[in-house]
Amino acid sequence: MKLILLGAPGAGKGTQAEIIAERLSIPIISTGNILKEAIRKETELGMQAKSYMDCGNLVPDDVIIGIVKERLGREDCADGFILDGVPRTIAQADALEEMGVKIDKVVSLEVPDDMIIQRLTGRRTCPKCGASYHILHKAPASEGICDKCGEPLTVRSDDEESTVVTRLKVYHETTEQLKDYYRAKGKLRVVDGQDDIADTTRAVLAALEE
């Protein structure tokens, strides 16, 4: 099965992708990871991408899609894959189709913005040992202190409320348009994200069987 998972930052795409990939024995194709690999291996497209990144510019869609297509041509993708991080725009979705990348189903994880803001802004991380917490769902024994090493906990810069709000705004203005794009093709399945990860997984697997 060839899948795309859509959803706002903090909707739980990464967690569900890992579970589904294991259940279906298919790889997760992460744009960030394959970009790094292409640059490390100094492939032609990787070097093109690096030239843009070194100048602080966004990598053009055709280069991103070209690197994705190269990765999807490997043997481990023969029985399917989950795309993570692409497409982000309708232009990228069009480019995938033009390059012959066929998608079977697109699952959109729906979580209200206020819940996502609560999820992300409540996260706390230990800068010393890397332990993670949440002020509501996994609070440390002592407020603001890591249970494991006693180090003061910090908030990641991308979990600051103003940053989260901006990321959600960008998602709604760009990536969310992909729902209508894939709905028109009969490939979209909408799943409400649940508080319990296992409940969300059951809903996603049921949607894939529709």
Side-chain angles (χ1 to χ4, degrees):
M1 188 170 284
K2 299 168 184 177
L3 306 175
I4 293 173
L5 285 184
L6 296 179
K13 298 187 300 297
T15 299
Q16 292 303 319
E18 288 179 6
I19 295 170
I20 295 164
E22 185 174 346
R23 294 277 185 95
L24 302 182
S25 298
I26 55 177
I28 301 170
I29 308 304
S30 163
T31 310
N33 290 343
I34 58 176
L35 263 177
K36 291 174 187 173
E37 182 184 12
I39 291 169
R40 180 176 57 81
K41 290 185 174 180
E42 297 186 351
T43 67
E44 182 180 346
L45 286 170
M47 289 300 92
Q48 286 184 39
K50 186 175 186 297
S51 68
Y52 289 100
M53 294 165 70
D54 286 347
C55 296
N57 296 322
L58 291 174
V59 180
D61 285 348
D62 61 335
V63 177
I64 291 281
I65 299 303
I67 290 174
V68 170
K69 189 181 181 185
E70 280 185 351
R71 177 64 184 86
L72 296 182
R74 295 188 196 171
E75 188 176 341
D76 64 338
C77 293
D79 294 327
F81 51 78
I82 300 173
L83 284 181
D84 174 20
V86 66
R88 290 188 183 275
T89 63
I90 288 175
Q92 287 185 357
D94 282 336
L96 278 175
E97 288 219 340
E98 289 168 9
M99 286 190 172
V101 178
K102 302 301 182 184
I103 300 300
D104 295 319
K105 290 183 181 177
V106 178
V107 175
S108 178
L109 284 178
E110 304 289 312
V111 179
D113 283 3
D114 58 349
M115 187 176 295
I116 283 177
I117 291 170
Q118 184 187 85
R119 280 184 186 180
L120 298 186
T121 59
R123 295 196 298 200
R124 300 291 184 270
T125 305
C126 177
K128 184 175 181 180
C129 72
S132 59
Y133 301 87
H134 193 282
I135 58 175
L136 296 179
H137 309 300
K138 190 185 174 184
S142 299
E143 185 178 349
I145 302 297
C146 178
D147 292 344
K148 296 181 179 179
C149 65
E151 195 77 8
L153 300 175
T154 59
V155 179
R156 288 180 0 189
S157 59
D158 55 352
D159 286 341
E160 297 282 356
E161 184 166 351
S162 59
T163 304
V164 173
V165 170
T166 299
R167 291 168 69 196
L168 286 170
K169 183 173 183 288
V170 170
Y171 171 76
H172 290 309
E173 290 176 352
T174 57
T175 309
E176 195 170 37
Q177 297 174 15
L178 288 167
K179 290 197 301 186
D180 289 336
Y181 179 93
Y182 285 113
R183 183 181 286 112
K185 296 177 181 297
K187 297 180 179 180
L188 184 72
R189 304 292 184 270
V190 175
V191 172
D192 289 329
Q194 308 296 315
D195 289 335
D196 185 81
I197 291 172
D199 289 341
T200 302
T201 300
R202 279 190 287 272
V204 170
L205 292 173
L208 293 180
E209 293 175 358
E210 292 178 3

